[in-house]
Amino acid sequence: MATVKREAAPARPGEELATYLPWYRLMVLARRFEEEAERAFRRGKVGGYLHLYNGQEAVAAGWLAALRADDIFFTAYRDHAHAIFRGTEPRRIMAELFGKVTGVAKGKGGSMHIFDVARGFYGGYGIVGGHIPLATGAAYALRYLGTDRICLCFLGDGAMHSGSFHEPVNMAALWGREGLCPIVYVVENNQYAMGTSVERSTVVTELARKFDAYGIPSERIDGQDLLTVHETAQRVVRQVRERGAPYAVECLTYRFAGHGAADLFQPYRTREEVERWKQRDPILLLERRLREAGLLDDAQVAAIGQEAEAQVAEAVRFAEESPAPDPEELTRDVYTDPPSGFVP
Ligand SMILES: Cc1ncc(C[n+]2csc(CCOP(=O)(O)OP(=O)(O)O)c2C)c(N)n1
């Protein structure tokens, strides 16, 4: 298991910490959403597959808080929380899990393909590493079109060992030399790719170092502490926007649940290891800081939890009551019309 650099919590004025209260609420909401999604899966309500984000919330929350509303981002299949942090209504995400027409992808994508293009969320991909070339091309397009928008590409530790990581990252570095590739690769190193630990999949376990080979600056940070993630994100986002060149940050984190809903026994890791990481639950770490600053007490923590539960219960009700897609939906939006004269 990789070690985590623990930084002493710097003292901060309560005023500054207060800006993190809305993010605490959203992280609690995302956690409750995942817990309920798992229950719905066990009740047979969720079609396809389900991957939970429990334990990793500070990573997506910290990065998305640093983006501008017109910036864009891509991620893999552990994607519900990313949409919640970006402001997508939980009921539309739950409806997508339930395969309903009111879902973000009209019920055709399911858990692994949450999209909200209006909010700059370009998905949700089930093919490991498959989104990295897309995100890199999108970053190039943003600068080619003359904007100062940037692209974030979240990816897992496992995805870094695929060919679809190395080719686009090399291209990004070349384009970045001309100021044409404003992308941040955010590696969510939760230390496992299904049942394979980082130690068993690569000799160079400090994943940030892999970007050295392409001349892309990078760093590794504690992904459990929202403030560390957010402060890094603000600095990096500013720099990438200015220079139009790629940057990479490895966020060391941990997933509390199994790989997916079918991974019940997790023979590849010990219960003690999971418990040890739960001591560094990102929600509890943030809660502790907010309590110390006098910004949260027991009553508020309970109220925020209840509010999140009510919102998630409403999302489930909405998903249950929404209609299934019309069978004709099956072929709609699947292929664009071929250009005239096109020969497949
Ligand atoms: C191209 C491809 N190969 C294999 C798989 C099977 N698979 C699904 S998830 C996964 C592990 C990916 O791990 P990582 O990128 O670290 O993401 P995490 O699950 O840890 O968030 C694999 C190998 C896949 N979906 N796509």
Side-chain angles (χ1 to χ4, degrees):
M1 194 179 75
T3 49
V4 188
K5 274 184 283 177
R6 292 184 192 196
E7 287 159 26
R12 267 159 232 276
E15 210 177 292
E16 190 194 329
L17 271 175
T19 61
Y20 290 97
L21 259 175
W23 291 92
Y24 172 77
R25 281 177 199 278
L26 282 174
M27 284 161 73
V28 171
L29 175 63
R31 181 70 63 85
R32 296 284 175 277
F33 184 97
E34 296 294 58
E35 288 165 357
E36 194 53 46
E38 183 170 22
R39 279 192 283 272
F41 183 90
R42 306 265 173 247
R43 286 193 287 124
K45 296 287 181 184
V46 178
Y49 222 54
L50 185 82
H51 303 86
L52 305 179
Y53 198 63
N54 304 12
Q56 302 183 210
E57 292 91 345
V59 181
W63 280 97
L64 295 176
L67 281 192
R68 236 170 43 192
D70 61 345
D71 289 329
I72 66 171
F73 67 102
F74 292 67
T75 190
Y77 45 81
R78 217 175 278 290
D79 56 357
H80 318 153
H82 296 67
I84 290 174
F85 295 140
R86 191 62 168 177
T88 306
E89 282 178 281
R91 49 156 51 189
R92 294 181 60 225
I93 307 169
M94 195 62 88
E96 188 58 38
L97 268 50
F98 279 51
K100 298 298 183 71
V101 72
T102 50
V104 285
K106 298 186 196 167
K108 292 194 276 191
S111 160
M112 296 200 276
H113 307 109
I114 305 299
F115 271 75
D116 194 344
V117 172
R119 290 184 172 79
F121 183 16
Y122 278 71
Y125 294 84
I127 301 296
V128 172
H131 64 299
I132 308 171
L134 300 178
T136 307
Y140 176 84
L142 292 175
R143 201 45 68 108
Y144 180 80
L145 294 170
T147 76
D148 70 342
R149 298 157 67 196
I150 72 156
C151 177
L152 276 196
C153 177
F154 293 97
L155 61 139
D157 43 278
M160 287 187 73
H161 314 309
S162 70
S164 55
F165 167 79
H166 296 278
E167 288 188 56
V169 165
N170 186 52
M171 291 301 297
L174 286 166
W175 287 333
R177 214 162 45 174
E178 316 293 327
L180 283 171
C181 201
I183 190 165
V184 189
Y185 296 105
V186 178
V187 179
E188 299 204 47
N189 181 3
N190 64 15
Q191 308 176 51
Y192 291 93
M194 298 184 81
T196 308
S197 69
V198 170
E199 277 75 14
R200 289 173 61 222
S201 51
T202 180
V203 170
V204 179
T205 54
E206 190 167 332
L207 300 178
R209 278 180 50 205
K210 290 190 187 270
F211 291 88
D212 292 353
Y214 301 103
I216 294 178
S218 68
E219 59 194 275
R220 175 191 243 196
I221 61 166
D222 176 3
Q224 299 309 88
D225 179 45
L226 180 71
L227 273 65
T228 302
V229 176
H230 185 233
E231 282 169 3
T232 307
Q234 282 180 306
R235 167 173 48 82
V236 169
V237 161
R238 197 179 316 121
Q239 177 188 318
V240 167
R241 197 183 305 285
E242 266 168 32
R243 299 186 189 165
Y247 197 98
V249 179
E250 175 192 357
C251 303
L252 209 45
T253 182
Y254 201 78
R255 69 167 152 73
F256 295 161
H259 164 72
D263 178 21
L264 292 173
F265 303 111
Q266 305 166 40
Y268 50 86
R269 62 184 189 179
T270 63
R271 203 178 287 250
E272 291 71 32
E273 181 185 293
V274 179
E275 286 311 314
R276 207 164 49 246
W277 275 91
K278 282 189 176 171
Q279 303 299 311
R280 303 206 72 243
D281 182 327
I283 297 180
L284 294 182
L285 292 187
L286 180 60
E287 189 179 306
R288 200 175 301 153
R289 285 193 182 212
L290 293 170
R291 280 177 185 271
E292 281 164 9
L295 293 164
L296 266 187
D297 59 22
D298 289 346
Q300 283 159 315
V301 167
I304 290 170
Q306 281 160 12
E307 209 175 285
E309 269 161 38
Q311 228 177 318
V312 171
E314 194 280 327
V316 169
R317 216 166 21 247
F318 175 76
E320 297 258 26
E321 289 168 5
S322 291
D326 189 296
E328 273 180 27
E329 267 301 332
L330 205 57
T331 52
R332 219 174 278 153
D333 304 328
V334 177
Y335 298 106
T336 57
D337 290 337
S340 63
F342 173 80
V343 182

